[in-house]
Amino acid sequence: MTGTETLLRDLADRAELSDLVARHSLWIDEGRYDETDRLFTQDVVVTSLRGEAHGIEQLVDLVRARHDDYARTLHNKSNLVIEIDGATATVRAHDIAVFVIDDTTEAVAAGIHRYRARRTDAGWRFDRLDITPVALTTALERAL
């Protein structure tokens, strides 16, 4: 590939990986579990404070076991650092999440998400996600 083609490929890969991170937030917040295979490989491994999941079915079960308790959630990912090495990549992102408990209370969490991705025939997919908690509040009185 020429230098221009390499640059275009790198930019396209970064855009696709960034989009996957954004779609991961929508996947959680809107319960788009039917789109799981558009984000993750079948053999995905996820670790978090809430447990570990191996495969898509366990991943959905892990997420639903906690997030289905909330009236609504809103995840915001930022500060993406993407490293691409051929057909694999890593993405580090900060995540701030608001968990609406009910009409009067909410909680806020912060964490670092470390994704590992691989290029598949269908495009980039995450095959690993490690979530490191940074902060979690107790229930807070809602002003809005």
Side-chain angles (χ1 to χ4, degrees):
M1 287 199 301
T2 67
T4 300
E5 291 170 333
T6 300
L7 176 61
L8 289 175
R9 174 63 174 255
D10 184 65
L11 291 172
D13 286 343
R14 289 175 184 282
E16 186 175 350
L17 289 161
S18 295
D19 187 61
L20 278 178
V21 172
R23 289 183 182 282
H24 178 225
S25 290
L26 291 176
W27 176 81
I28 295 171
D29 295 336
E30 297 179 1
R32 296 181 177 189
Y33 305 123
D34 59 327
E35 298 176 8
T36 305
D37 63 346
R38 293 179 56 198
L39 303 173
F40 299 98
T41 62
Q42 290 294 322
D43 62 345
V44 65
V45 175
V46 177
T47 61
S48 75
L49 185 65
R50 305 285 181 221
E52 188 169 303
H54 296 266
I56 285 181
E57 186 176 324
Q58 285 186 11
L59 170 58
V60 172
D61 290 345
L62 180 67
V63 171
R64 293 193 76 166
R66 187 65 181 136
H67 287 78
D68 283 359
D69 292 341
Y70 299 113
R72 184 167 186 198
T73 64
L74 180 68
H75 288 74
N76 182 31
K77 304 220 180 18
S78 65
N79 297 5
L80 274 62
V81 176
I82 300 170
E83 301 289 340
I84 301 170
D85 184 12
T88 62
T90 59
V91 182
R92 182 185 187 280
H94 293 172
D95 182 54
I96 304 291
V98 176
F99 302 111
V100 177
I101 298 167
D102 55 37
D103 290 342
T104 60
T105 55
E106 62 196 18
V108 179
I112 298 171
H113 289 207
R114 289 179 176 86
Y115 299 89
R116 188 178 69 198
R118 69 178 183 246
R119 192 187 313 273
T120 71
D121 291 340
W124 287 99
R125 297 293 185 269
F126 296 129
D127 63 6
R128 181 153 189 102
L129 171 57
D130 297 302
I131 301 168
T132 304
V134 173
L136 175 63
T137 68
T138 57
L140 302 170
E141 185 176 328
R142 293 189 66 194
L144 172 63

